Amino acid sequence: MKKVKKITLKPKLSLFLKILGLILCLLLGGFLFYRKQINDIKKVGYSELASKNILFASKKSYILSIGENETLNKVFEEKTYKEEYLDSYRKINYVNQEHFIENVNKLLDIGYSVGDINIIFAHGNDEAVSRFVKREKVRYLEEFFTIKYAKLDNYDRYVAYSDATGEDETTTVLYVNLDLDKEDYAEATLVKDFSMDMLINKHRYLEEDFIPKDLVEIDEALASEKGMKASHVALNAYQKMQKAAEKEGYSIVINSAYRSYQDQIDISNSYLRAYGQNYVDKYVAKPGFSEHQTGLAFDIGSRKVNVFENSKEYSWMQENAHKYGFIRRFSKQKEGITGFRNEPWHYRYVGVEIATYIYENNMSLEEYFVNFIDINE
Ligand code: ZN
């Protein structure tokens, strides 16, 4: 009986195996074909996920004709692409921002050109762009934002400032980025960290308890009074400068250096008694807004001539201070930008590299800050 059963089962089994084999072959073939399609796309520079989605969207030949494109890769990874924007996506420079594709879609919906969109992403981080896409389409985008340090968030202020003053785009963006469209001391920015390139002015202030971390006492041989203090890094540089000046026959002296928040209150009060409120408002920095609180600023005098500006020491400083890391901080020419009147005696330590750049390019620290420090990440 057993033998018979086996014999009768054999043809059925072999048919079953044949069909199974055929199915497996088809599946394997299909799988290999599918893998080859994916690999073709990956080879061009797309991720596994993007390649799968490209294949399922029947966009393989389109993608192969384009080649590697980071923005298209992201678009297909997220599966948020719109058919009609395919040719736009590929012309948009990829930016590593969380809501990049979502924002690209919104900007295209609003009607911005790919050129505009590239400008927008170059001037704002993810938060700034996400705010910007909620607005209606703006005008003058290219005018302001061909300036590399223009900020998306400042757009309305650029338009308002330019309308109110008639200034060109370059001046407008510079002034607004420095908050010069706001009243002095109003809505000022708090600066917390000590650094040799820190910027303190009428729009950027220090807290009452801010003390430079490397504050040291100044040797009284260098100063006009006992007990003055300064940042160590700045004082070191000053000593080198003073020696070099001396070698050439010029005699400079420190008349004022670090001033605490309380010192600035005392100075304000004494000027108030002597000259009145108008004078104080105009010429004396409010407590927290004086660069002297950083320990990096020095008021320098000549040991030979009372009025520093008339001294040979002043001329020497003009030519040489940058070699030691110091800049002439407040000049007549830059009054509109620094917010302080001409102060020939006031020097600020920023390090040799920055000081040399500022000297050679006839800049203010404010302009340097806007160009190189306060830029979008
Ligand atoms: Zn000063």
Side-chain angles (χ1 to χ4, degrees):
M1 282 300 281
K2 277 178 189 172
K3 271 182 187 171
V4 174
K5 257 187 187 172
K6 267 184 191 169
I7 289 160
T8 52
L9 272 174
K10 256 183 189 167
K12 277 188 187 169
L13 182 68
S14 97
L15 183 64
F16 171 73
L17 284 174
K18 273 181 192 162
I19 292 168
L20 186 69
L22 190 65
I23 291 169
L24 284 174
C25 278
L26 281 172
L27 280 174
L28 182 67
F31 178 74
L32 288 175
F33 181 71
Y34 165 75
R35 280 311 315 170
K36 188 189 174 309
Q37 305 277 313
I38 299 274
N39 285 335
D40 286 348
I41 304 169
K42 279 174 78 176
K43 251 185 249 167
V44 187
Y46 290 80
S47 71
E48 171 84 18
L49 178 62
S51 301
K52 275 183 192 166
N53 291 336
I54 288 164
L55 192 61
F56 285 124
S58 310
K59 290 286 174 259
K60 182 190 164 188
S61 55
Y62 172 79
I63 288 298
L64 292 184
S65 74
I66 301 293
E68 186 175 12
N69 186 295
E70 267 192 288
T71 301
L72 280 173
N73 184 69
K74 195 74 185 165
V75 160
F76 280 99
E77 277 186 349
E78 294 192 4
K79 286 206 280 188
T80 48
Y81 78 94
K82 296 188 181 179
E83 184 78 31
E84 69 267 33
Y85 294 155
L86 270 184
D87 274 319
S88 301
Y89 294 139
R90 72 186 175 94
K91 294 176 201 147
I92 293 169
N93 304 327
Y94 177 74
V95 176
N96 188 10
Q97 292 182 357
E98 196 188 337
H99 303 93
F100 177 55
I101 299 300
E102 191 185 324
N103 286 335
V104 164
N105 282 333
K106 283 181 185 162
L107 291 167
L108 287 166
D109 287 343
I110 297 166
Y112 286 109
S113 68
V114 290
D116 287 341
I117 293 174
N118 283 329
I119 287 175
I120 290 166
F121 280 102
H123 290 90
N125 59 18
D126 193 45
E127 292 81 41
V129 177
S130 298
R131 281 190 286 273
F132 192 79
V133 299
K134 291 185 187 133
R135 317 177 49 125
E136 281 178 30
K137 192 176 179 190
V138 304
R139 295 159 69 202
Y140 316 119
L141 192 72
E142 214 175 306
E143 283 87 339
F144 292 118
F145 289 88
T146 44
I147 298 164
K148 69 166 182 164
Y149 50 78
K151 292 179 180 181
L152 220 45
D153 278 338
N154 287 350
Y155 175 81
D156 290 325
R157 290 166 63 198
Y158 297 150
V159 174
Y161 189 84
S162 159
D163 282 351
T165 62
E167 289 288 359
D168 62 30
E169 287 87 8
T170 310
T171 307
T172 296
V173 172
L174 174 71
Y175 275 51
V176 170
N177 280 16
L178 287 168
D179 292 334
L180 294 171
D181 56 333
K182 297 178 182 172
E183 294 284 312
D184 287 353
Y185 308 112
E187 301 167 69
T189 303
L190 174 63
V191 180
K192 288 198 158 171
D193 298 324
F194 175 89
S195 67
M196 67 181 188
D197 59 6
M198 67 197 301
L199 177 66
I200 301 301
N201 57 26
K202 289 175 179 169
H203 302 277
R204 298 172 54 83
Y205 71 104
L206 299 166
E207 272 178 324
E208 193 169 350
D209 60 2
F210 176 91
I211 296 169
K213 59 184 177 183
D214 64 344
L215 199 62
V216 288
E217 199 145 316
I218 300 173
D219 186 335
E220 62 175 295
L222 296 173
S224 59
E225 271 175 47
K226 263 185 165 180
M228 283 187 203
K229 289 175 181 171
S231 148
H232 191 214
V233 61
L235 185 61
N236 262 346
Y238 178 84
Q239 277 174 298
K240 280 184 198 156
M241 179 166 71
Q242 196 260 357
K243 271 186 193 153
E246 210 159 74
K247 240 184 178 174
E248 295 178 38
Y250 303 103
S251 191
I252 55 172
V253 61
I254 301 172
N255 285 327
S256 182
Y258 169 69
R259 296 203 294 256
S260 70
Y261 193 92
Q262 186 58 46
D263 291 339
Q264 198 65 22
I265 294 177
D266 297 343
I267 284 178
S268 282
N269 288 338
S270 66
Y271 276 108
L272 185 65
R273 283 191 296 272
Y275 303 108
Q277 190 67 51
N278 275 350
Y279 182 92
V280 171
D281 289 347
K282 206 170 177 193
Y283 296 122
V284 186
K286 285 195 175 174
F289 294 84
S290 167
E291 199 178 48
H292 282 280
Q293 200 184 333
T294 65
L296 298 165
F298 294 86
D299 291 340
I300 291 171
S302 158
R303 291 207 190 261
K304 296 173 179 167
V305 178
N306 261 344
V307 179
F308 186 58
E309 202 171 0
N310 299 335
S311 69
K312 285 178 178 167
E313 279 72 15
Y314 169 73
S315 309
W316 187 87
M317 285 290 290
Q318 288 275 81
E319 293 303 314
N320 296 285
H322 66 279
K323 298 173 191 165
Y324 304 91
F326 288 89
I327 55 164
R328 163 86 187 273
R329 184 70 177 86
F330 305 120
S331 68
K332 179 95 192 137
Q333 191 202 350
K334 303 287 184 182
E335 268 179 5
I337 299 173
T338 65
F340 285 89
R341 69 184 165 143
N342 182 34
E343 290 190 2
W345 57 86
H346 182 111
Y347 279 81
R348 161 64 197 274
Y349 181 73
V350 290
V352 174
E353 196 184 318
I354 297 176
T356 304
Y357 190 91
I358 286 177
Y359 172 82
E360 285 173 353
N361 294 281
N362 186 30
M363 268 186 170
S364 56
L365 183 55
E366 276 75 8
E367 288 163 283
Y368 186 88
F369 175 81
V370 165
N371 271 281
F372 301 109
I373 302 172
D374 182 39
I375 41 177
N376 292 306
E377 69 268 64

